[in-house]
């Protein structure tokens, strides 16, 4: 009963973030919308007007249905409400290029309401974070400028599907592998472009869930396989029944669209194409008979892509192999040590590889790794630095989607506000993390003499060298930090010495003697630290420790020789 107020306050906190985001989204309703608005309106009409057997074969509009079946079912569900709001928008022929105020309002609101899943998943992932870290995670995800630009201006449902991805990752981090695999399978049936992370999921679930011996592991493999197959059967089964399965896959994988998307994503193949054009131009100037490609390497509609002039032509198979090779180091690491705490990082890495080397990559695909990286960014200042640059580049690469003049202040303001939020948020988060960890650190069994700030004794500073991130501790702070561990060890060792020396007949006095000797050890150790600290303030040598301070005497039976060696080795 005592936990309910905290849970209630936590839920209300995140909903304040959601309300602010919703207010901004409502203000963007009359703003620019792309052809994707008409694409999704047509899918509403298509699923509402035609039987399921014709969904993937209809050619009434050039914007044919090319998403997996679960998204088609989602459009069918929305079409029931759309027909009540404005029947014309769900009419297959009369609704072409239809954009009444009610139709615009309905479709914009459908995206806003679908973001509820993203909010829920974010809250679920942030339950282990406290204070600034929790609020910063909410802000980075719910207030993501990329989602504002792509979903609520350009028009798509990326927030809804990224919510499913984060929900799957939260289940995996909790150790609920079956639920994590189930949600990811559902996500693949909503948007197949998320399949880039499928190898990561497969290796992780096989090594982490399907373990425990041959019998137990085989049983778990059957359970996981049954869950995934059931999801795909529910999605593709009806189309297989009508003999449409080949048509469905033909629509989902239109390889004739070209190597790059119409709005070029900043990936490896862009530089490959630029190099080919430069070589063609150079060879033509040198007198070689090189015919430069006249067509574009990009396209939004299905068609024959242009060949390369000099460099080898890139095919979908080459990009597929390249992506697998790029992911393979991550897969090897997962195979060796499948850690739930690392799964979000691995999935983000897989989507980064897909973005860099995939076929016909959309610039919007950067959201697939930027949003999960916002969770990783809170774990260390180095991760925060990488996220800072990647999120800014990702957001900037989305600017061509909004090419009208009236949207320019909006996209620039979103990017600048995001950068300012990251700067102050990360600076505050890591400064508090350092102070909190220094004040409440407890020495572990295996790292007695390790600095309690070893993991986060860094500040969020933008620079080229990693060493610039690390703030050197004052000599006094190092002596005090290490001395505290020596005091604790002295008390423990003196207590154990007293216990071993006490006769059985006076066993009752052992604890009292231990406490007295432990207190004496602490006092004498404190005197030692005082002498060292005083000398360090006067001379400030580069290395301060027992080895340099030869006149300092350590009480004889309090510290063992091994402890002194460890102290000396650590200090050197």
């Amino acid at each position: 009963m005592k936990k309910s107020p905290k849970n209630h306050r936590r839920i209300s906190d995140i909903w304040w973030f959601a309300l602010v985001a919703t207010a901004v989204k409502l203000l963007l309703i009359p703003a620019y919308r792309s052809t994707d608005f008409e694409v999704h309106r047509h899918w509403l009409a298509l699923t509402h007007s035609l039987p399921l057997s014709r969904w993937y074969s209809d050619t009434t509009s050039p914007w044919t249905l090319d998403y997996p079946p679960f998204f088609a079912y989602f459009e069918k569900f929305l079409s029931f409400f759309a027909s009540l709001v404005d029947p014309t928008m769900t009419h297959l022929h009369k609704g072409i290029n239809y954009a009444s105020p009610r139709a615009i309002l309905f479709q914009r609101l459908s995206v806003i309401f679908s973001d509820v899943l993203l909010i829920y998943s974010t809250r679920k992932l942030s339950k282990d974070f406290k204070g600034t870290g929790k609020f910063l995670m909410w802000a980075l995800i719910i207030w993501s400028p990329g989602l504002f630009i792509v979903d609520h201006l350009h028009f798509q449902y990326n927030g809804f599907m990224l919510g499913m991805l984060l929900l799957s990752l939260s289940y995996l981090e909790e150790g609920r592998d079956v639920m994590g695999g189930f949600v990811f399978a559902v996500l693949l049936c909503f948007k197949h472009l998320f399949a880039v992370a499928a190898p990561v999921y497969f290796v992780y679930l096989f090594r982490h869930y399907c373990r425990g011996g041959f019998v137990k592991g085989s049983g778990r493999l059957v359970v996981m396989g049954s869950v995934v197959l059931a999801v795909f059967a529910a999605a593709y089964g009806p189309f297989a029944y009508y003999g449409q399965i080949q048509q469905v896959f033909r629509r989902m994988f239109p390889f004739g669209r070209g190597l790059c998307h119409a709005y070029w994503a900043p990936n490896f193949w862009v530089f490959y194409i630029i190099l080919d054009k430069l070589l063609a131009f150079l060879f033509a100037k040198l007198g070689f008979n090189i015919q430069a490609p006249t067509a574009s390497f990009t396209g939004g509609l299905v068609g024959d892509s242009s060949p390369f002039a000099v460099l080898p032509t890139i095919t979908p198979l080459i990009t597929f192999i390249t992506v697998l090779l790029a992911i393979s180091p991550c897969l090897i690491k997962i195979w060796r040590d499948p850690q739930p705490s690392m799964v979000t990082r691995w999935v983000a890495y897989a989507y980064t590889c897909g973005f860099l080397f995939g076929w016909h990559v959309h610039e919007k695909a950067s959201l697939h790794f930027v949003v999960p990286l916002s969770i990783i960014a809170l774990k260390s200042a180095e991760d925060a630095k990488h996220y800072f640059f990647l999120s800014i580049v990702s957001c900037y690469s989305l600017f061509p989607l909004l090419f009208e003049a009236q949207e320019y202040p909006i996209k620039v303001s979103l990017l600048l506000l995001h950068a300012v939020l990251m700067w102050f948020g990360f600076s505050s988060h890591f400064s508090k993390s350092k102070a909190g960890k220094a004040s409440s650190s407890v020495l572990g069994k295996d790292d007695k003499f390790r600095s309690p700030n070893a993991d986060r004794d860094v500040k969020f500073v933008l620079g080229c060298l990693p060493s610039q991130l690390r703030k050197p501790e004052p000599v006094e702070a190092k002596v005090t930090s290490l001395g505290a561990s020596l005091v604790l060890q002295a008390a423990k060792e003196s207590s154990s010495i007293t216990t071993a020396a006490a006769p059985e007949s006076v066993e009752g006095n052992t604890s009292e003697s231990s406490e007295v000797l432990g207190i004496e050890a602490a006092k004498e150790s404190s005197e030692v630290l005082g002498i060292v600290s005083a000398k360090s303030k006067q001379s400030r040598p580069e290395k301060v420790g027992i080895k340099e301070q030869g006149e300092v005497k350590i009480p004889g039976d309090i510290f063992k020789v091994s402890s002194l060696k460890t102290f000396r080795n650590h200090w050197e």
Side-chain angles (χ1 to χ4, degrees), residues 294-412:
T294 56
S296 173
F297 287 88
T298 67
L301 299 175
V302 178
D304 294 331
S305 58
S306 175
F308 288 86
V310 178
L311 298 178
T313 299
I314 302 300
T315 63
L317 179 61
I318 293 176
T319 61
F320 177 76
I321 295 173
T322 307
V323 171
L324 280 183
L325 290 175
I327 299 177
S328 58
C330 176
L331 301 180
I332 295 172
K333 189 174 182 63
I334 299 171
W335 183 272
R336 292 177 177 175
D337 187 15
Q339 301 179 32
S341 60
M342 294 289 292
V343 68
T344 301
R345 188 184 300 269
W346 292 330
V347 168
Y349 173 78
Y351 285 127
T352 305
C353 295
F355 181 83
L356 290 175
F357 304 110
W359 176 270
H360 195 75
V361 176
H362 292 228
E363 67 291 326
K364 295 161 282 191
S366 62
L367 295 173
H368 295 180
F369 60 86
V370 168
V371 172
L373 281 176
S374 62
I375 304 166
I376 301 170
L378 301 174
K379 297 183 178 181
S380 72
E382 189 69 16
D383 290 327
K385 176 185 173 183
H386 295 158
Y387 173 79
F388 184 88
F389 287 112
L390 279 174
S391 61
I392 288 178
V393 172
S394 169
C395 184
Y396 183 75
S397 69
L398 299 174
F399 277 17
L401 295 176
L402 308 178
F403 53 86
E404 295 185 354
Q406 60 267 29
E407 272 72 42
Y408 189 82
I410 298 176
K411 60 188 181 183
V412 172

Side-chain angles (χ1 to χ4, degrees), residues 65-195:
L65 181 60
D66 57 4
Y67 273 31
F70 273 176
F71 197 89
Y73 300 155
F74 175 68
E75 293 280 8
K76 176 70 173 179
F77 170 76
L78 293 178
S79 70
F80 288 114
F81 303 98
S83 62
L84 299 176
V85 173
D86 190 342
T88 306
M89 68 183 298
T90 57
H91 194 281
L92 188 61
H93 298 284
K94 294 182 180 180
I96 294 179
N97 296 322
Y98 183 74
S100 69
R102 286 186 293 177
I104 294 173
L105 181 63
F106 174 82
Q107 290 193 250
R108 292 289 196 191
L109 290 178
S110 68
V111 179
I112 294 174
F113 280 113
S114 67
D115 284 345
V116 172
L117 181 59
L118 178 68
I119 298 168
Y120 171 76
S121 303
T122 304
R123 186 183 76 86
K124 189 173 175 62
L125 273 169
S126 65
K127 65 182 181 181
D128 293 332
F129 289 83
K130 297 179 181 179
T132 307
K134 178 176 63 177
F135 296 137
L136 186 56
M137 181 191 292
W138 294 349
L140 293 178
I141 297 177
I142 299 175
W143 295 350
S144 170
L147 288 177
F148 280 118
I149 292 174
V150 175
D151 283 4
H152 305 282
L153 284 166
H154 182 79
F155 194 86
Q156 277 192 351
Y157 292 88
N158 290 281
F160 171 60
M161 286 175 282
L162 284 170
M164 272 188 278
L165 176 65
L166 297 185
L167 182 62
S168 173
L169 294 175
S170 69
Y171 282 130
L172 294 183
E173 290 189 358
E174 293 172 359
R176 303 172 63 182
D177 293 342
V178 175
M179 283 299 300
F182 168 78
V183 175
F184 184 70
V186 172
L187 173 61
L188 294 185
C189 293
F190 267 91
K191 192 169 184 178
H192 53 298
L193 299 182
F194 284 93

Side-chain angles (χ1 to χ4, degrees), residues 246-301:
Q246 291 184 352
Q247 181 64 25
V248 171
F249 285 110
R250 194 176 297 115
R251 286 283 183 85
M252 287 171 53
F253 300 99
F255 293 117
R257 286 184 175 178
L259 178 61
C260 294
H261 189 254
Y263 294 106
W264 286 21
N267 63 3
F268 173 79
W269 302 120
V270 171
F271 298 99
Y272 189 86
I273 292 173
I274 292 174
L275 179 60
D276 180 78
K277 290 183 178 293
L278 289 176
L279 291 176
F281 176 79
L282 178 62
F283 289 164
K285 288 292 184 180
L286 294 176
F288 291 92
N289 186 17
I290 299 294
Q291 184 177 1
T294 56
S296 173
F297 287 88
T298 67
L301 299 175

Side-chain angles (χ1 to χ4, degrees), residues 477-500:
K478 291 183 178 180
V479 173
T480 304
S481 173
L482 194 56
S485 65
L486 290 173
V487 171
L488 292 177
Q489 185 189 3
K492 291 180 180 179
E493 293 182 355
S494 60
S495 176
S496 61
I497 293 171
T498 307
T499 304

Side-chain angles (χ1 to χ4, degrees), residues 497-511:
I497 293 171
T498 307
T499 304
E504 296 182 359
S505 59
V506 291
E507 186 176 351
N509 298 326
T510 302
S511 59

